[in-house]
Amino acid sequence: MPDLAAILSEAAAAGQAGDLARARQLYDEALGVDPRHPAAVFGSAQVALSLGDVHVAALHLSVLAESADASLRPALAQAFATLADALRSRGAFDAAMIARDHVVRLAPDAAGAWFALGNACMEAAQARIDRAHAGTAPTAAFDPLAAALAAFGRACALAPGTAAIEAARALAARHACAFDEARAAGVALRAVAAGEDFACEPMAAVALLDDAGEQRAGIEGYVRRALPAAMPAAAPAVVRGRGTRLRVGYLSSDFHDHATAHLAAGLFERHDRTRFEVFAYASDRDDGSPMRARLRRAFEHWRDVRDVDDATAAAAIVGDGIDVLVDLKGHTHGARLPILARRPAAVQIHYLGFPGTLGYPGAIDAIVADAVVAPQDCDREFAERVLRLPLCYQVNDARRALPAPARRGDVGLPDDAVVLASFNQPYKLTEPFVMAWFAVLREVPSALLWLTVPHELTRRHLVAAATRAGVATDRLVFAPPVRQAAHLARLQCADLALDVLPYGSHTTGSDALFCGVPMLTLRGTTFAGRVGASLLHATGLDELVTDSLAGYTALLANLAGDRERLAHLHDHLVRGRTRLPLFDTDGFTRAFERMLEDVAAR
């Protein structure tokens, strides 16, 4: 009979020495003696994790989870957490969620474990939406959004007043249009924001907070905790003189079939090559799309930095002698801000990706805006210098194709209705605006509300809210996720687009205007809430910008009852598609280039 204790001792020693192949061999030998021996199973799982064999690790850990004794539970919880991280890095979000669920079962009183489970559920929910947009049906009926709400609720109960947890709970409630819970979570978050050393995940800050000072404080606190401090400049103060071409680099993980690429492709193509030498630093995958191919052609130099570390990427930028490095991501998914913390370029600015301050002194020198999204008296909202373009800060692509409009009957709409559309993500649909829409639906019988709401839970909540407000449920039409071309075709069926606060319509708004659909907005108190006003100003439709919720509601009722005015606004946009400033890519590019030259000269 083999000596199991001796085998396990030798296996542990091999693992500690880094001889993982030998450790695996010995643990396999031990499992041959006793397939359910806890030390053998756990050791084998740890070796599998170290080797990146997540499937074997998951199998072994699941066996242990069925009957783990108290002494093994802390180590097993940590192993499941490591497994969840490994699965997440491979894009296996459903499996990562399941691993995180094992963690909370093993450590039910750990607020951090519940918080991590909530985040894993939100990522799994988003992955299902992405699959639906790509035409792949969700694989299961289980709703991760409901599980996320429950997990964040438990985390808040265990660690009340924790900013990150309160913000995550509030954002999940907003995704679900669970208005009562969102309201309560928002109150809790603002109470935390009033304290010292407030830190908030930046996307949550711009989505949840309508006070620019609170946004800045939360984002700066997050940066101090989560990101490396900026280093001394690695690049010389001035690389190119004014008489030679300015070297401009764009850093992004959105150089593929992505909303940012659809907006900015024309800018990259139209740079004056006699004055600018343009570099792309791409940290994303090649999706094989026509957009990726178009972008490769647009840049004079293409650097793939996806699979290199921050130091190597920064060294490449230094080696290219970049005068102005333009970050296109900010605090959004896939950002590489630590590259900028290494100061690889003489001047480093942020553009387009994030609608607010980055709060990263030393890494970001300036942010690109305009006088509407960032009025002259609002510089205190930003940790960076504000560079204001003469018209709307948002670039649009004049080469963009507009598909033929869909027929209303084909997208579930009646021909005779006044269609009020908000194709913003559900977390932007705040209670005051939804209630205003319902009030107008009660007042204007011919109107209906057209929304894109991917979660069944969210649809149920909105239908219940409509019923409570006295609105028949057939006055709400939910549009399914579709690819971009199909979306633009169906969007032309709308009569009016509805903006929201505190995080309003950005690409969603310019999509509507491009499709000839006028948009109603309320001017917000932050960058993220003023974009709609900027878009309308650049299309000559300032008449659709309101300054109070009462004014917004009154104008919405007026427009919904005035088909002739809606038709006039539609015609204005259709006729102006080739001449309105919002769609003038050449004019935008020249203004952007003047800004680049000015900021480099300073």
Side-chain angles (χ1 to χ4, degrees):
M1 180 75 176
D3 186 343
L4 184 57
I7 296 172
L8 290 172
S9 177
E10 187 179 352
Q16 291 173 355
D19 188 351
L20 297 179
R22 176 60 177 162
R24 168 172 272 188
Q25 179 185 2
L26 289 165
Y27 279 123
D28 285 347
E29 186 178 338
L31 289 171
V33 177
D34 184 351
R36 300 187 70 84
H37 190 286
V41 177
F42 187 66
S44 186
Q46 287 185 308
V47 170
L49 279 174
S50 298
L51 291 169
D53 193 343
V54 295
H55 299 294
V56 170
L59 178 63
H60 287 313
L61 292 175
S62 297
V63 169
L64 282 178
E66 296 173 3
S67 58
D69 59 47
S71 64
L72 192 58
R73 291 171 76 89
L76 189 55
Q78 182 57 54
F80 268 113
T82 302
L83 174 63
D85 290 339
L87 291 164
R88 178 180 181 272
S89 70
R90 289 162 170 76
F93 297 109
D94 281 0
M97 175 178 62
I98 293 169
R100 287 289 176 189
D101 186 66
H102 279 296
V103 176
V104 300
R105 293 175 187 274
L106 292 160
D109 295 326
W114 286 100
F115 177 55
L117 172 60
N119 287 328
C121 291
M122 293 300 294
E123 289 187 325
Q126 183 59 51
R128 293 178 186 211
I129 295 171
D130 293 342
R131 291 199 297 269
H133 277 291
T136 304
T139 57
F142 173 74
D143 186 354
L145 181 56
L149 278 169
F152 289 136
R154 179 62 179 152
C156 283
L158 290 167
T162 304
I165 299 175
E166 298 288 4
R169 176 190 169 208
L171 199 56
R174 289 266 293 272
H175 273 283
C177 289
F179 294 136
D180 290 344
E181 188 168 350
R183 196 182 317 114
V187 169
L189 179 61
R190 286 190 292 274
V192 178
E196 296 182 1
D197 198 27
F198 174 50
C200 184
E201 195 281 323
M203 283 302 297
V206 297
L208 298 170
L209 300 172
D210 59 6
D211 181 282
E214 289 180 349
Q215 277 191 12
R216 178 174 175 177
I219 292 169
E220 288 180 329
Y222 170 87
V223 167
R224 286 192 299 270
R225 295 184 184 186
L227 293 173
M231 299 179 180
V238 177
V239 180
R240 295 286 172 268
R242 292 288 266 176
T244 60
R245 289 201 299 169
L246 196 73
R247 289 191 171 186
V248 178
Y250 290 93
L251 172 64
S252 182
S253 61
D254 294 335
F255 291 137
H256 56 272
D257 188 8
H258 185 275
T260 297
H262 285 283
L263 289 173
L267 166 66
F268 306 142
E269 291 171 334
R270 285 169 168 77
H271 271 307
D272 182 349
R273 297 306 172 89
T274 67
R275 294 160 49 222
F276 295 88
E277 189 174 358
V278 187
F279 296 71
Y281 298 96
S283 59
D284 55 343
R285 62 182 177 84
D286 184 348
D287 63 349
S289 65
M291 176 56 72
R292 178 75 167 199
R294 180 182 173 189
L295 294 173
R296 289 295 298 256
R297 294 190 299 269
F299 286 99
E300 194 168 347
H301 306 280
W302 185 277
R303 308 283 189 252
D304 188 346
V305 297
R306 179 190 180 196
D307 295 323
V308 302
D309 61 21
D310 297 331
T312 303
I317 296 169
V318 172
D320 286 333
I322 297 300
D323 296 295
V324 183
L325 180 61
V326 184
D327 166 59
L328 294 171
K329 291 297 298 181
H331 294 294
T332 59
H333 180 69
R336 299 283 299 274
L337 286 174
I339 294 175
L340 289 99
R342 293 177 174 273
R343 290 301 315 190
V347 178
Q348 300 182 169
I349 67 176
H350 174 70
Y351 174 57
L352 196 60
F354 185 75
T357 183
L358 270 65
Y360 204 174
I364 298 292
D365 304 313
I367 186 169
V368 181
D370 61 55
V372 178
V373 295
Q376 295 291 340
D377 61 349
C378 292
D379 283 1
R380 66 187 179 280
E381 298 176 9
F382 302 92
E384 313 82 6
R385 184 155 59 92
V386 180
L387 306 174
R388 293 179 176 87
L389 293 170
L391 285 170
C392 182
Y393 84 104
Q394 188 195 92
V395 65
N396 277 269
D397 180 18
R399 280 185 54 192
R400 189 181 192 184
L402 182 64
R407 295 185 302 176
R408 281 192 169 187
D410 292 338
V411 293
L413 298 172
D415 289 332
D416 58 349
V418 176
V419 178
L420 310 176
S422 181
F423 279 12
N424 292 287
Q425 294 188 59
Y427 73 86
K428 295 185 179 184
L429 308 185
T430 49
E431 184 179 17
F433 285 84
V434 174
M435 293 303 111
W437 300 342
F438 289 165
V440 171
L441 291 183
R442 290 194 301 270
E443 184 177 341
V444 183
S446 60
L448 61 78
L449 186 59
W450 195 23
L451 307 171
T452 177
V453 180
H455 299 292
E456 175 61 29
L457 177 66
T458 311
R459 292 194 289 270
R460 290 202 307 269
H461 285 160
L462 285 170
V463 167
T467 300
R468 290 192 298 272
V471 173
T473 57
D474 62 0
R475 307 282 297 284
L476 274 63
V477 177
F478 297 114
V482 295
R483 294 181 183 274
Q484 178 70 2
H487 170 64
L488 294 179
R490 73 181 180 185
L491 184 51
Q492 295 172 70
C493 296
D495 292 300
L496 181 67
L498 304 177
D499 201 9
V500 287
L501 290 179
Y503 192 163
S505 306
H506 297 185
T507 306
T508 306
S510 53
D511 280 349
L513 297 169
F514 176 69
C515 288
V517 181
M519 180 173 70
L520 173 65
T521 193
L522 169 56
R523 191 190 313 271
T525 55
T526 65
F527 187 130
R530 302 185 190 112
V531 173
S534 178
L535 296 172
L536 289 167
H537 180 64
T539 51
L541 292 177
D542 295 280
E543 65 190 89
L544 299 181
V545 180
T546 63
D547 290 299
S548 70
L549 186 59
Y552 175 102
T553 307
L555 183 52
L556 175 54
N558 177 278
L559 291 167
D562 190 343
R563 294 176 187 263
E564 184 176 349
R565 186 177 180 188
L566 288 173
H568 172 76
L569 295 168
H570 168 78
D571 290 343
H572 166 80
L573 290 168
V574 171
R575 291 196 307 271
R577 195 175 286 132
T578 59
R579 58 177 177 79
L580 290 169
L582 183 63
F583 308 120
D584 179 9
T585 312
D586 283 330
F588 178 93
T589 303
R590 302 290 83 80
F592 197 83
E593 289 176 337
R594 288 192 295 271
M595 179 205 70
L596 291 173
E597 290 175 328
D598 288 345
V599 74
R602 293 181 189 180

